[in-house]
Amino acid sequence: MITGMRLRWVLWMLIIFWSLSKYGTSGEASTLISVQLPSGRLITAEEAITHEQQMEGMMYRQHLEEDRGMLFIYPQDGIHGIWMKNCLISLDILWLDSNYRIIYVKERVPPCRSEPCPTYKPPLNSRYVLEVHEGLAEKERLRPGSQLLLTTSGLTL
């Protein structure tokens, strides 16, 4: 039997867990984006728009489903570098132009194990960066020139 004190503690823990899962450590909700690959396969990506969301990225995540990812959205084209600080999983990183066409792919990028962490950059300007499950680029034959389609699902985490 749960006492009143324990019930309150359990409820508080559930509220804290829910708010962290919804907002992450940055405190901001993420909208979900559907990314359609050339094969027709769909990836559900969290959008990272704010500086805080982009700095946090995939930090501290222990697992990433094959149909999930994160889309970094920048306000203008540029050489947008990505690092793997505090990441626990390897990722494939895709840089996209303003028309969602892949311009550069870095496959199986490992977590950073010691400082300083390397920064991965494309040789060309990009507008978006998509992080996905390691091995997905090879499996789906994603390469420069591949066209992706993006739609907002309207859902938030």
Side-chain angles (χ1 to χ4, degrees):
M1 181 169 191
I2 298 178
T3 65
M5 181 74 103
R6 276 194 182 161
L7 182 58
R8 273 181 272 189
W9 182 84
V10 169
L11 288 174
W12 273 114
M13 294 312 294
L14 287 172
I15 290 168
I16 290 169
F17 175 75
W18 175 80
S19 63
L20 286 175
S21 67
K22 180 174 180 176
Y23 296 105
T25 56
S26 67
E28 300 175 40
S30 295
T31 300
L32 299 177
I33 305 286
S34 289
V35 180
Q36 184 176 349
L37 305 180
S39 68
R41 182 176 186 173
L42 291 177
I43 301 295
T44 302
E46 300 170 42
E47 70 178 20
I49 297 175
T50 68
H51 180 71
E52 292 77 19
Q53 289 169 329
Q54 292 170 352
M55 290 300 293
E56 182 179 329
M58 292 280 192
M59 285 184 177
Y60 307 110
R61 302 207 187 178
Q62 296 181 9
H63 180 71
L64 179 65
E65 297 292 331
E66 282 195 31
D67 65 345
R68 302 289 286 193
M70 181 170 283
L71 181 69
F72 295 73
I73 301 172
Y74 296 96
Q76 58 192 14
D77 290 351
I79 302 294
H80 301 294
I82 298 291
W83 67 346
M84 298 292 284
K85 183 178 174 114
N86 298 321
C87 284
L88 306 175
I89 55 175
S90 296
L91 300 168
D92 286 354
I93 305 173
L94 314 169
W95 283 264
L96 315 173
D97 66 15
S98 59
N99 296 313
Y100 313 119
R101 187 174 304 280
I102 297 174
I103 61 160
Y104 187 67
V105 178
K106 186 72 176 168
E107 296 182 57
R108 300 181 189 280
V109 179
C112 176
R113 301 284 185 218
S114 62
E115 301 275 347
C117 295
T119 300
Y120 301 93
K121 297 179 182 178
L124 304 168
N125 285 340
S126 66
R127 173 70 58 93
Y128 308 97
V129 178
L130 178 63
E131 293 181 341
V132 294
H133 191 275
E134 76 167 318
L136 185 72
E138 180 181 12
K139 186 176 187 179
E140 291 289 324
R141 296 184 179 123
L142 299 173
R143 58 185 59 92
S146 296
Q147 180 69 55
L148 307 183
L149 299 173
L150 279 67
T151 56
T152 303
S153 68
L155 300 175
T156 56
L157 287 178

